[in-house]
């Protein structure tokens, strides 16, 4: 049976993206320049005062806009968030959500009005909205990274695309549901089209429009965790770290903070939509609105002042990007501590491998100490050749391959063919898309093993390994050294006669092309940064045993002052 050739849709899309990157770069720069100050403004407003004072002010604003019970929930929720230690992350999340929501409203309301009043526009826009809502949210992150690099901006753009349709749809629905009798009455009194819209249709459609805005806010908040994969930050990063490190308690705390923010925003928008102002007279209602407007203006002025006065701190900022692997968490936090001790402001962006290289190539990140070469990240180095600078290895003596506990009789990959059943015909892998998983799949095929690769995460792999070791059960995992598991368990690499994983790897430091000129001191420290597998495993083990990465890094730096001095002198 003759089959039709595959439509090269992926190639067409890639070409369109490449064309847009080259030809619309100035437009993307303008969009970035517009969005970044908005995020900075909201963050400045929420960090201008101590958390307790900010919580009280927010509660008062919520009371003016809604009712006392919601204001009390806001105050107590903010105190809980601060007590758990997630105030800064929550501020980042709120800033992202408010920016995405505001832009969605600015774009969505006019489009909703247009679709309500023009049938041709409705026929054209509705399929686009269907596409925006049904496309998996993860897909929006790919072009967002290409067009806007890393950080809050691509996360906000992805959130707008994903969350804006409800505002458009329900604005259109609310206007179309206004009674025809009222429209006829407005026409009879000689109202213009604009007067009908602003004095009849929009006021009567307000509950429906606010319901759409409410859904937009909730969808924006649901993008928080997803957007953290490209460095958006906030509570999404907390939850993502907890997922990849299997930290149930920390994940629950981060999720609880998101729930508190979601409930407050949901109740406030519902109250605004339903007009539940607990006032007894029109005069009292107007007075409350006046106080609310005055409070917003005062807070806005504080935010603007804080934003502009905090632009220049006298210290240079260094942005480091990394993958949430145990080894890279250790090295990145140690370098962060060293740079901070030299007076730099260091910002960390935890992302996946692709965005990590893209961020350094675009200059959005200054560098990374997490490039595994020559095999693991070879494709990325080839893709961004000439756009990044390789400062050479910061750690030598790494090794990759299949790992088993020492009590397992197998010593070679060939031994897995003899009794694959004892391993349940499984090899436990790491994150989907990791090059190591691809090499393992090729190994299974080349050695003709009756086994399958189970993709999980580096933390899930280590957790599964720990459970099997505790129960003395056979298990085979994808592994690399240095890793804390070699310090904790008795493990061994299986011999790989076909060298599917290649020779020993090195971890390199990669920086942006202009870092040496822009920030020579930071460049010099990153160029000199070098340590041993034993050093890295020491930090990794402290983190695994319960210390925060910042604490483990600080302890190692304090213990190894002579080594650090060689990097900074």
């Amino acid at each position: 049976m003759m089959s039709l050739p595959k439509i090269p849709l992926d190639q067409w899309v890639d070409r369109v993206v490449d064309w847009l990157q080259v030809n619309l770069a100035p437009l993307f720069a303008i969009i970035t320049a517009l969005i970044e100050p908005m995020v900075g403004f909201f963050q400045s407003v929420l960090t201008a005062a101590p958390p307790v004072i900010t919580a009280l002010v927010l509660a008062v604003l919520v009371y003016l806009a809604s009712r006392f019970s919601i204001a009390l929930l806001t105050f107590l929720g903010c105190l809980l968030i601060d007590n758990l230690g997630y105030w800064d992350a929550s501020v980042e999340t709120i800033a992202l959500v408010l920016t995405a929501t505001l832009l969605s409203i600015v774009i969505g309301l006019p489009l909703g009005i247009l679709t309500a009043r023009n049938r041709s526009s409705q026929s054209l826009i509705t399929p686009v909205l269907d596409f925006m809502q049904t496309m998996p949210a993860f897909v929006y992150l790919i072009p967002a990274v290409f067009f806007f690099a890393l950080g809050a901006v691509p996360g906000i753009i992805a959130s707008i695309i994903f969350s804006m349709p409800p505002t458009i749809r329900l604005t259109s629905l609310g206007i179309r549901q206004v009674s025809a009798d009222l429209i006829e009455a407005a026409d009879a009194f000689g109202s213009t089209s604009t007067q009908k819209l602003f004095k009849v249709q929009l006021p009567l459609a307000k509950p429906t429009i606010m319901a759409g805005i409410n859904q937009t806010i909730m969808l924006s908040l649901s993008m928080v965790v997803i957007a953290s994969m490209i460095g958006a930050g906030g509570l999404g990063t907390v939850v993502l770290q907890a997922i990849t490190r299997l930290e149930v308690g920390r994940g629950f705390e981060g999720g609880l903070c998101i729930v508190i923010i979601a409930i407050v925003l949901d109740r406030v928008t519902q109250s605004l939509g339903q007009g539940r102002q607990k006032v007894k007279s029109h005069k009292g209602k107007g007075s409350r609105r006046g106080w609310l407007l005055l409070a917003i203006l005062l807070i806005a002025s504080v935010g603007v002042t804080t934003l502009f006065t905090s632009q220049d701190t006298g210290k240079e900022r260094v942005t480091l990007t990394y993958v949430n692997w145990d080894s890279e968490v250790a090295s990145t936090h140690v370098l962060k501590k060293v740079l901070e001790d030299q007076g730099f402001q260091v910002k960390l962006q935890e992302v996946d491998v692709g965005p990590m290289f893209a961020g350094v190539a675009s200059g959005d990140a200054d560098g990374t100490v997490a490039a595994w070469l020559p095999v693991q990240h070879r494709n990325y180095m080839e893709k961004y050749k000439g756009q990044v600078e390789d400062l050479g290895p910061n750690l030598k003596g790494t090794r990759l391959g299949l790992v088993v506990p020492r009590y397992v009789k197998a010593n070679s990959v060939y031994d897995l063919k003899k009794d694959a059943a004892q391993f349940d015909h499984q090899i436990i892998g790491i994150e989907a898309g990791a090059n190591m998983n691809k090499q393992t799949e090729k190994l299974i095929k080349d050695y003709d093993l009756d086994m399958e690769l189970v993709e999980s995460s580096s933390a899930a792999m280590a957790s599964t390994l720990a459970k099997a070791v505790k129960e003395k059960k056979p298990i085979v995992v994808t592994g690399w050294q240095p890793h804390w598991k070699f310090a904790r368990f008795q493990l061994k690499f299986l011999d790989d006669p076909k060298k599917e994983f290649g020779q020993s790897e090195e971890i390199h430091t990669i920086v942006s092309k202009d870092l040496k000129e822009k920030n020579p001191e930071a460049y010099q420290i990153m160029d000199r940064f070098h340590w041993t597998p034993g050093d890295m495993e020491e930090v990794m083990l402290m983190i695994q045993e319960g210390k925060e990465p910042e604490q483990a890094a600080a302890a190692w730096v304090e213990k190894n002052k002579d080594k650090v001095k060689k990097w900074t002198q």
Side-chain angles (χ1 to χ4, degrees):
M1 184 176 178
M2 187 175 180
S3 60
L4 294 174
K6 177 183 178 295
I7 300 175
L9 181 59
D10 56 341
Q11 298 178 23
W12 295 346
V13 173
D14 288 340
R15 289 171 186 169
V16 170
V17 170
D18 291 340
W19 186 90
L20 292 174
Q21 274 187 285
V22 174
N23 294 277
L24 296 185
L27 175 61
F28 299 139
I30 293 173
I31 294 174
T32 300
L34 291 174
I35 292 178
E36 284 183 339
M38 294 178 64
V39 179
F41 166 76
F42 287 121
Q43 287 182 319
S44 299
V45 167
L46 295 172
T47 55
V52 175
I53 302 300
T54 303
L56 184 60
V57 172
L58 289 175
V60 171
L61 283 176
V62 170
Y63 172 69
L64 292 173
S66 183
R67 55 182 182 268
F68 178 76
S69 59
I70 301 176
L72 181 61
L73 172 65
T74 301
F75 183 67
L76 295 178
C78 289
L79 292 183
L80 177 60
I81 290 172
D82 182 45
N83 178 264
L84 294 175
Y86 298 112
W87 180 260
D88 291 338
S90 297
V91 165
E92 289 184 44
T93 294
I94 294 172
L96 294 173
V97 171
L98 292 180
T99 303
T101 301
L102 181 60
L103 292 174
S104 296
I105 293 172
V106 170
I107 299 171
L109 281 178
L111 289 177
I113 294 170
L114 179 63
T115 56
R117 306 180 76 178
N118 188 300
R119 190 172 296 275
S120 299
S121 298
Q122 182 181 4
S123 301
L124 180 64
I125 293 176
T126 299
V128 177
L129 297 180
D130 294 338
F131 178 88
M132 291 167 64
Q133 284 190 292
T134 54
M135 178 66 72
F138 285 93
V139 177
Y140 297 132
L141 302 183
I142 304 172
V145 168
F146 278 111
F147 299 148
F148 302 99
L150 301 180
V153 175
I156 288 171
I157 296 297
S159 296
I160 291 172
I161 297 173
F162 181 68
S163 63
M164 186 169 55
T167 296
I168 300 175
R169 290 185 189 276
L170 291 180
T171 297
S172 176
L173 177 64
I175 292 174
R176 285 188 279 108
Q177 284 182 333
V178 174
S179 172
D181 294 338
L182 293 174
I183 300 298
E184 290 179 5
D187 290 333
F189 281 99
S191 299
T192 64
S193 179
T194 303
Q195 289 174 329
K196 277 192 299 183
L197 175 64
F198 287 99
K199 294 186 177 182
V200 179
Q201 292 173 310
L202 288 180
L204 293 174
K206 178 185 172 183
T208 306
I209 294 174
M210 289 304 300
I213 293 174
N214 177 275
Q215 290 186 30
T216 291
I217 292 174
M218 295 300 105
L219 289 174
S220 296
L221 202 52
S222 72
M223 282 289 292
V224 165
V225 176
I226 299 174
S228 67
M229 298 177 66
I230 53 175
L235 291 169
T237 299
V238 175
V239 175
L240 185 63
Q241 288 176 346
I243 292 172
T244 55
R245 299 175 190 171
L246 298 181
E247 298 174 340
V248 180
R250 191 164 187 242
F252 180 81
E253 288 180 342
L256 180 61
C257 294
I258 293 175
V259 168
I260 291 172
I261 294 172
I263 291 175
V264 171
L265 293 176
D266 176 68
R267 297 298 185 270
V268 169
T269 51
Q270 282 188 14
S271 296
L272 290 174
Q274 296 171 5
R276 292 181 180 175
Q277 302 284 357
K278 291 204 170 182
V279 289
K280 296 182 178 180
S281 65
H282 179 74
K283 182 178 179 181
K285 187 174 182 179
S287 176
R288 174 173 287 196
R289 287 178 176 174
W291 281 110
L292 177 61
L293 180 60
L294 178 61
I296 292 174
L297 290 175
L298 288 174
I299 291 176
S301 64
V302 171
V304 171
T305 303
T306 306
L307 179 63
F308 282 98
T309 56
S310 63
Q311 289 297 313
D312 186 10
T313 61
K315 296 180 180 179
E316 294 180 90
R317 168 172 284 189
V318 177
T319 302
L320 302 177
T321 181
Y322 68 105
V323 188
N324 190 25
W325 297 339
D326 295 312
S327 53
E328 316 323 322
V329 171
S331 59
T332 304
H333 279 83
V334 166
L335 180 58
K336 175 180 182 286
K337 173 61 177 172
V338 172
L339 288 168
E340 286 178 340
D341 288 346
Q342 296 302 306
F344 292 98
Q345 289 184 308
V346 182
K347 178 183 178 182
L348 299 185
Q349 291 181 329
E350 181 184 308
V351 295
D352 209 346
V353 179
M356 179 180 76
F357 277 89
V360 177
S362 67
D364 193 62
D366 293 307
T368 179
V369 289
W372 286 66
L373 298 171
V375 178
Q376 287 298 305
H377 296 155
R378 176 177 55 202
N379 293 339
Y380 294 105
M381 289 300 293
E382 292 175 351
K383 179 176 182 179
Y384 296 107
K385 185 177 181 180
Q387 300 179 52
V388 299
E389 181 179 354
D390 184 359
L391 299 184
N394 60 64
L395 187 144
K396 296 181 179 180
T398 64
R399 186 178 178 184
L400 302 146
L402 297 185
V403 175
V404 298
R406 286 189 181 176
Y407 57 75
V408 173
K409 294 181 179 180
N411 293 304
S412 169
V413 176
Y414 281 116
D415 294 334
L416 298 180
K417 296 184 66 173
K418 299 176 182 178
D419 189 9
Q422 69 172 320
F423 302 102
D424 293 329
H425 301 275
Q426 293 181 340
I427 298 175
I428 309 302
I430 55 175
E431 287 81 3
N435 195 58
M436 197 170 190
N437 284 353
K438 297 178 183 178
Q439 290 173 292
T440 304
E441 290 174 340
K442 184 175 182 297
L443 177 144
I444 292 173
K445 182 179 180 181
D446 291 346
Y447 280 94
D448 192 26
L449 301 179
D450 183 21
M451 305 183 79
E452 65 174 347
L453 175 69
V454 179
E455 293 183 325
S456 57
S457 69
S458 56
M461 175 272 293
S463 176
T464 306
L465 174 64
K467 182 179 179 181
V469 170
K470 184 178 180 179
E471 298 174 357
K472 294 293 183 181
K473 290 185 177 180
I475 186 173
V476 56
V477 302
T478 56
W480 61 93
Q481 200 172 21
H483 193 282
W484 61 263
K485 61 180 178 283
F486 286 93
R488 169 161 288 193
F489 308 123
Q490 297 294 314
L491 306 173
K492 62 182 178 182
F493 280 95
L494 293 179
D495 292 335
D496 178 15
K498 295 187 179 182
K499 299 190 182 302
E500 296 287 349
F501 287 95
Q503 303 301 319
S504 62
E505 291 268 271
E506 298 174 340
I507 306 180
H508 284 228
T509 300
I510 307 297
V511 299
S512 59
K513 291 291 290 184
D514 63 346
L515 180 63
K516 186 174 184 179
E517 179 181 353
K518 182 178 68 174
N519 198 338
E521 185 180 348
Y523 175 92
Q524 187 178 60
I525 294 174
M526 295 177 69
D527 189 26
R528 291 176 176 176
F529 174 68
H530 180 272
W531 59 347
T532 66
D535 293 327
M536 178 181 279
E537 286 184 348
E538 184 180 345
V539 179
M540 294 166 69
L541 190 57
M542 284 191 284
I543 296 173
Q544 200 278 329
E545 289 176 344
K547 282 192 175 183
E548 291 295 322
E550 293 82 3
Q551 297 173 333
W556 186 91
V557 169
E558 179 65 24
K559 183 181 176 181
N560 295 270
K561 291 181 178 179
D562 292 340
K563 182 170 290 189
V564 172
K565 188 176 180 180
K566 295 178 181 178
W567 306 341
T568 59
Q569 65 185 3

